Amino acid sequence: MTRATSRLGRAAFGAGFCFLAASLPAVALAAEPQAAERAVPSDTATPSEAPEAARPSRWDFQGDVGVPRLESGETKLIGSGDVGYRGDDYRLSGHLGISNYAAATPGAYNATAKRSFGLGGTWSLVKPNATSSLELKGALDYTTYATVYIPTDVNSGELFSEFSGMTRGTLLLGGTKELTPSLLVALAGGAGLQSENYYASSDANVEASTSSTARYVAQADARWRMIAETLAVRAHSDVSYASVTRTQFAVDSLDANEPTTDSFALIESTNRLFAELEMFQFGGVVPSAFVGLDVFSLQGSAGSALAYIPSVGVGLSNAGFTP
């Protein structure tokens, strides 16, 4: 009896040990996923823990300075600047520009210094999609032209200077189209009014005039990212035409003259080709180099002037700047 009991106990103990040993792997496998979940952090953060996505700045800017090649041989500077704020469907900006022209004529040349500043705005007329938009642009500018007529021959007349201040308001309708993921183009055209205050003086005369005329403007812009994050090419071109009428009330030092009316066709064009060196950008600021060609034409009954002004220079803009 005792031996039988002892054998039965040993058999029961052995069976229990075998069952426990067989159960341990299953328990370990069941506990392993929970341990893995505790040990490995989740790649997906909860909404409260997700970091806020970085938004691109709504401010953009562009500035450049260069040296023109003038027929007079003088060394001058040219430059422009634009600072803008972009909303969801609009852009507001301020801009300024400095240009210098020189046109040679037989026995003399005209040297003109142009200065301008103003405010602008762009509004989307339709909800823009990923590749295109339709826009209305407006601008209010004040532009001055200070010109000196310098005779180089004793028979070419006397030293003569004039000043023209023009207040200009312009509306343009345009569109932007992404032709490819790396090529963006924009075209715009429109018209406006300009009001001119004109003043001229020489050794013998003082002349003054005020007039208002229409002005027509066309613009084109393009940006091509040639090599991603390395090099982009940006081009800008604009042309304007205005008929300027000046009724000159001249006061001669010896005799009073009757008022005379002169009409002029004023054509101006600014053209720039920028190479944006994205490989050297720092803090979102991209350096660039440009070549340019400005055209200034004033044709009228009292005389004419025509100048082509090539230029080179450097600039800075924030990444992806478009006007």
Side-chain angles (χ1 to χ4, degrees):
M1 180 74 177
T2 302
R3 287 182 181 178
T5 303
S6 177
R7 289 176 181 175
L8 181 61
R10 286 197 298 269
F13 178 80
F17 180 81
C18 291
F19 176 80
L20 179 62
S23 301
L24 284 176
V27 173
L29 289 174
E32 185 175 350
Q34 298 180 1
E37 289 180 2
R38 290 193 300 269
V40 180
S42 174
D43 292 334
T44 304
T46 62
S48 60
E49 297 174 347
E52 184 179 353
R55 294 183 178 180
S57 173
R58 290 185 177 268
W59 291 94
D60 56 27
F61 66 89
Q62 181 271 335
D64 59 76
V65 62
V67 179
R69 182 181 179 274
L70 303 176
E71 292 188 21
S72 62
E74 297 177 291
T75 300
K76 300 285 187 177
L77 290 178
I78 60 172
S80 67
D82 184 293
V83 177
Y85 177 84
R86 293 185 182 274
D88 293 336
D89 55 1
Y90 68 90
R91 179 179 185 265
L92 302 177
S93 64
H95 50 267
L96 57 85
I98 300 173
S99 302
N100 288 279
Y101 307 138
T105 58
Y109 70 87
N110 296 317
T112 300
K114 176 185 176 182
R115 307 290 184 264
S116 65
F117 61 90
L119 300 174
T122 301
W123 296 267
S124 295
L125 298 180
V126 297
K127 187 175 181 180
N129 56 39
T131 61
S132 63
S133 65
L134 181 64
E135 301 166 337
L136 179 67
K137 296 183 176 183
L140 179 63
D141 302 274
Y142 181 70
T143 304
T144 64
Y145 301 82
T147 301
V148 178
Y149 174 82
I150 303 174
T152 57
D153 186 276
V154 293
N155 299 319
S156 299
E158 59 190 2
L159 181 68
F160 180 83
S161 63
E162 61 183 4
F163 176 85
S164 173
M166 295 189 178
T167 302
R168 293 166 166 167
T170 311
L171 282 178
L172 301 95
L173 180 65
T176 302
K177 178 69 174 178
E178 185 180 285
L179 299 181
T180 69
S182 60
L183 178 60
L184 182 73
V185 297
L187 300 173
L193 293 175
Q194 68 177 21
S195 177
E196 180 189 40
N197 289 319
Y198 174 79
Y199 176 87
S201 65
S202 65
D203 294 338
N205 295 296
V206 175
E207 302 172 352
S209 175
T210 301
S211 65
S212 297
T213 55
R215 180 170 176 263
Y216 306 93
V217 180
Q219 298 176 347
D221 292 275
R223 189 172 189 273
W224 177 32
R225 178 163 289 178
M226 296 180 63
I227 306 174
E229 300 183 356
T230 301
L231 177 64
V233 175
R234 176 166 55 88
H236 170 79
S237 180
D238 63 62
V239 60
S240 65
Y241 169 84
S243 177
V244 180
T245 300
R246 293 170 178 169
T247 302
Q248 301 173 353
F249 298 90
V251 179
D252 191 285
S253 60
L254 301 177
D255 189 17
N257 297 324
E258 292 294 329
T260 59
T261 301
D262 296 321
S263 296
F264 300 87
L266 175 62
I267 300 174
E268 295 179 276
S269 180
T270 301
N271 306 277
R272 298 286 185 270
L273 181 63
F274 291 87
E276 297 182 336
L277 308 176
E278 294 182 340
M279 68 185 83
F280 298 124
Q281 71 169 293
F282 178 77
V285 179
V286 179
S288 62
F290 75 85
V291 294
L293 178 66
D294 294 346
V295 180
F296 177 81
S297 174
L298 187 64
Q299 309 290 329
S301 56
S304 62
L306 176 62
Y308 298 95
I309 304 98
S311 60
V312 296
V314 295
L316 293 173
S317 64
N318 62 335
F321 171 84
T322 54

